[in-house]
């Protein structure tokens, strides 16, 4: 598998991944074999469906899954190995062509991702010797009680009562 990085500017980069046939083919074939053993198609005993029919029905899905697994692993490993500080997840390039997965014609696939990099910066004007005041704010019980009462009025629920109605009841 080939993974390359092309820096566009300080904050943007393109990651190109070429998933080669030799990388995904063993997984693709083993998954098709699993599908063949589980397939119960009309006219064939369970597990005895010819591989060509299994490939016709399930091949595209299994191939896409095998390639995607290899792609995601390669992308995450590359980001980890290169120690890239990526903001969010890399997204597929906007003008990337639609990939057609043909289980009868296995080939190499190329994917390009746009990634946003975390900016490098240094806070200036702050040193280890600077001292700062910490404000200790005291809140009196009266303010706390008023806020609790206001919160109860705002967030209270309406219920039907059988007793007499009192002032400020909702």
């Amino acid at each position: 598998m080939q993974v390359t990085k092309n820096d566009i500017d300080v904050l943007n980069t393109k990651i190109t991944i070429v998933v080669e046939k030799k990388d995904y083919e063993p997984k693709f074939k083993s998954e098709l074999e699993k599908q063949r053993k589980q397939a119960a198609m009309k006219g064939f005993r369970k597990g005895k469906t010819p591989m060509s029919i299994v490939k016709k029905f399930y091949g595209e899905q299994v191939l896409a899954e095998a390639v995607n697994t290899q792609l995601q692993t390669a992308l995450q490993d590359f980001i980890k190995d290169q120690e890239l500080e990526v903001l969010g997840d890399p997204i597929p390039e906007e003008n990337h062509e639609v990939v057609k997965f043909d289980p009868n014609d296995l080939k190499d696939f190329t994917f390009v991702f746009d990634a946003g990099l975390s900016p490098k910066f240094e806070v200036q004007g702050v040193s280890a010797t600077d001292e700062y005041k910490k404000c200790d704010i005291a809140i009196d019980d009266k303010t706390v009680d008023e806020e609790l009462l206001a919160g109860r009025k705002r967030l209270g629920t309406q219920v039907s009562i059988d007793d007499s109605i009192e002032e400020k009841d909702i």
Side-chain angles (χ1 to χ4, degrees):
M1 196 162 333
Q2 300 171 9
V3 183
T4 57
K5 181 178 88 160
N6 180 18
D7 291 329
I8 297 170
D9 56 34
V10 179
L11 299 177
N12 296 301
T13 189
K14 287 194 181 291
I15 300 172
T16 304
I17 301 174
V18 178
V19 181
E20 297 172 344
K21 177 181 172 182
K22 65 180 179 172
D23 295 327
Y24 67 83
E25 189 174 29
K27 176 128 174 103
F28 171 66
K29 288 185 177 181
S30 69
E31 288 297 319
L32 270 181
E33 193 60 41
K34 285 181 189 175
Q35 288 291 335
R36 180 179 181 215
K37 289 178 183 175
Q38 296 174 356
M41 297 194 175
K42 194 171 186 176
F44 301 100
R45 290 180 300 179
K46 184 175 180 176
K48 300 297 182 184
T49 306
M51 187 58 82
S52 60
I53 294 176
V54 172
K55 197 181 276 190
K56 181 178 179 181
F57 280 97
Y58 302 111
E60 190 173 325
Q61 175 186 347
V62 171
L63 177 60
E65 187 176 316
V67 170
N68 189 42
T69 301
Q70 291 292 322
L71 177 66
Q72 293 302 322
T73 302
L75 182 60
Q76 295 306 321
D77 289 347
F78 180 77
I79 290 171
K80 186 177 176 183
D81 293 343
Q82 295 292 318
E83 296 178 358
L84 296 176
E85 294 181 25
V86 178
L87 297 175
D89 289 329
I91 56 174
E93 185 179 45
E94 188 174 339
N95 299 328
H96 196 277
E97 62 186 49
V98 177
V99 178
K100 299 265 184 181
F101 293 106
D102 184 6
N104 296 317
D105 181 29
L106 300 180
K107 59 182 179 180
D108 296 350
F109 295 99
T110 302
F111 299 93
V112 181
F113 293 91
D114 293 326
L117 302 176
S118 177
K120 307 268 188 259
F121 62 91
E122 186 175 314
V123 178
Q124 296 184 359
V126 178
S127 69
T129 59
D130 290 345
E131 293 183 13
Y132 301 96
K133 293 180 186 177
K134 179 181 176 187
C135 298
D136 189 17
I137 300 172
I139 301 173
D140 61 341
D141 291 338
K142 180 182 176 188
T143 306
V144 172
D145 291 339
E146 288 173 357
E147 287 299 316
L148 281 173
L149 185 60
R152 287 180 185 151
K153 286 182 181 180
R154 277 194 318 267
L155 302 172
T157 57
Q158 295 184 5
V159 294
S160 299
I161 58 169
D162 297 327
D163 299 340
S164 62
I165 298 174
E166 298 177 9
E167 187 177 333
K168 297 184 183 178
D169 278 350
I170 295 179

